[in-house]
């Protein structure tokens, strides 16, 4: 959309979150709320995007980038925040779209329809995105005239009982005609319950000047604000539902969708099947035709086509599985690359490792990657086979097609095709078990006799 300037308000204290972190940096599906808002805005192709932040919020400025930021200090209300933003933006020819940073579930389609509504003939000066939340509570109420145009927004604190009974509320998203924006916002005063400059007053101000204001409704689940941890959890639930629906629509099978949790950035290929109770942290990329079995936890991992993961697998950042790799129950992988067709099917820890193709890693194998000071690498080349309960003390290399015997502690490199055994020699003493049993039985009997007397 041409000549559009976007302002996102994020300078408030967020007191109700009871947090040292700025509110809009709290995450939904492992992505800060502010980024969700900016992601919804981006496809509108605004000429400028500016985030209003408070002073001493470097983390917020970093999260906003590449959007510009303007500092509002002290925060004197949403109207004051927009004034600061407009001063930084200068003249805006087209639309000014204002969003609140804590309504993170907003979608591009809804924003586009709000802008279209403002531009629709006869053009309105202000268009407000309305909603009907189940509990209107502290939201501003939209006062609509008989002809359907918008008369005013009244904050709940300042509303009369009749106004508070209005179900239609302000979502906080407002589109303004650029050429009137500075003028209208400049006229906002702070005579209200909180002595704040309310952006919402622009409607009454515009009406007083004979300018037209309108409202359209968006689904409440898309427009709810997050002001507390409880509301954050509600927003998370909505986002998870959206992500589940999106993945299923893209060809992923979820056997029990409500038990699977995604990150906003999770990528999954077609015909992948995900069993119940699987959790994706940030940075997971799953190929096509993969099976992720129940109770697996996947963070920062790339999984190749046709792989089978879990049940009960833990894939940590830096894991890369080639095609058709099998990772089974109670296997933990960290910074480990496994080449095509390799298998670690049970009870293993593979960390800081480069594993070739068609390698078999036996149950209980541990890469001993940490010597108490530094992490070291383990290399296992193509076709090698690691016996059960082997400890591979890094740095160490197991050559191609080598075999490591079960229970070995491997401290030196193993050449290709070699058999390595790093364990005590086995000794058999003929008849010794029989003798031992005889002595033991006699001792037991003697003890029982003594306790009788
Ligand atoms: C605001 C609206 C209310 C609407 C609701 C929707 C006003 C006066 N009220 O209320 O009508 O129903 O949003 O969620 O606009 N902020 C600043 N600077 C400030 C104050 C706030 O940047 O000085 C930012 C906050 O960081 C937040 C957003 O503006 O992201 C909204 O502020 P908040 O205090 O949450 O407003 P509400 O009381 O929820
Ligand atoms: Ca809010």
């Amino acid at each position: 959309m041409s000549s559009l300037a976007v302002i996102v308000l994020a300078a408030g204290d967020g007191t109700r979150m009871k947090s040292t972190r700025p509110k809009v940096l709290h995450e939904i599906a492992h992505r800060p709320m502010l980024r969700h808002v900016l992601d919804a805005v981006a496809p509108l192709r605004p000429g400028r995007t500016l985030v209003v932040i408070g002073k001493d919020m470097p983390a917020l400025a970093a999260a906003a980038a590449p959007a510009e930021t303007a500092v509002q200090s002290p925060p004197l209300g949403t109207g004051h925040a927009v004034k600061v933003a407009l001063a930084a933006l200068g003249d805006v020819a087209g639309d000014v779209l204002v969003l609140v940073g804590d309504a993170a579930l907003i979608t591009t389609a809804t924003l586009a329809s709000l802008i279209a509504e403002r531009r629709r003939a006869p053009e309105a000066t202000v268009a407000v995105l309305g909603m009907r939340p189940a509990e209107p509570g502290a939201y501003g109420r939209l006062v609509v005239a008989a002809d359907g145009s918008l008369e005013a927004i009244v904050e709940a604190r300042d509303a009369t009982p009749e106004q508070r009974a209005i179900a239609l509320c302000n979502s906080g998203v407002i589109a303004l005609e650029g050429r009137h924006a500075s003028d209208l916002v400049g006229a906002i005063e702070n005579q209200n319950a909180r002595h704040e400059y309310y952006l919402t007053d622009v409607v009454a101000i515009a009406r007083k000047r004979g300018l037209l204001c309108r409202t359209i409704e968006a689904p409440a689940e898309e427009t709810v604000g997050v002001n507390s941890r409880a509301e954050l959890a509600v927003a998370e639930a909505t986002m998870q539902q959206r992500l589940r629906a999106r993945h299923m629509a893209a060809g992923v099978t979820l056997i029990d969708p409500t038990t699977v949790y995604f990150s906003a950035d999770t990528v999954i290929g077609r015909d992948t099947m995900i069993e119940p109770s699987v959790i994706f942290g940030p940075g997971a990329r799953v190929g096509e035709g993969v099976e992720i079995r129940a109770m697996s936890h996947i963070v920062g991992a790339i999984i190749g086509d046709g792989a089978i993961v879990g049940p009960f697998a833990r894939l940590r950042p830096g894991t890369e599985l080639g095609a058709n790799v099998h990772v089974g129950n109670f296997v933990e992988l960290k910074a480990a690359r496994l080449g095509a067709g390799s298998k670690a099917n049970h009870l293993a820890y593979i960390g800081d490792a480069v594993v070739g193709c068609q390698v078999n890693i036996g149950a209980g194998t541990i890469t001993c990657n940490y010597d108490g000071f530094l992490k070291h690498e383990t290399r296992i080349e193509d076709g090698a086979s690691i016996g059960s309960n082997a400890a591979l003390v890094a740095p160490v290399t197991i050559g191609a097609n080598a075999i490591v015997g079960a229970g070995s502690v491997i401290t030196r490199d193993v050449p290709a095709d070699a058999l390595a055994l790093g364990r005590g020699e086995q000794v058999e003493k003929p008849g010794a078990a029989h003798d031992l049993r005889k002595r033991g039985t006699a001792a037991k009997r003697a003890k029982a006799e003594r306790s009788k007397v």
Side-chain angles (χ1 to χ4, degrees), residues 8-14 16 23-24 52-54 57 60 72 74-82 99-103 131 136 138-142 153-157 169-174 192 194 196-201 223-227:
V8 181
L9 305 185
D13 304 322
R16 286 166 283 178
K23 175 164 69 176
V24 299
V52 182
I53 64 174
M57 292 184 171
L60 202 45
Q72 180 203 17
L76 300 177
T78 50
H80 178 248
V82 172
L99 296 95
V100 289
D102 62 352
M131 59 171 180
Y139 290 113
R141 305 297 201 272
L142 302 187
I153 307 178
V154 187
E155 286 305 291
R157 274 195 187 74
C169 293
N170 172 25
S171 71
V173 184
I174 298 181
N192 51 52
R194 283 207 281 190
E196 280 186 5
Y197 296 86
Y198 290 166
L199 174 63
T200 45
D201 284 353
T223 40
V224 284
V226 172
N227 301 296

Side-chain angles (χ1 to χ4, degrees), residues 279-286 292 295-303 309-310 312-321 327-328 330-338 348-353 366-370 375:
I279 294 177
F280 292 94
R285 253 169 48 211
V286 182
I292 313 248
M295 312 288 172
S296 295
H297 194 272
I298 296 162
V299 182
I302 298 171
I303 301 176
V309 172
F312 296 99
R314 177 163 186 216
L315 272 45
R316 292 171 53 200
T319 296
E320 281 180 42
L321 308 184
V327 172
F330 308 109
V331 173
E332 174 180 350
L333 302 179
K334 189 227 41 172
R337 295 210 308 266
L338 272 63
Y349 171 65
I350 311 296
D352 301 303
I366 305 283
T367 54
C368 309
N369 58 333
Y370 187 49
K375 298 277 173 70

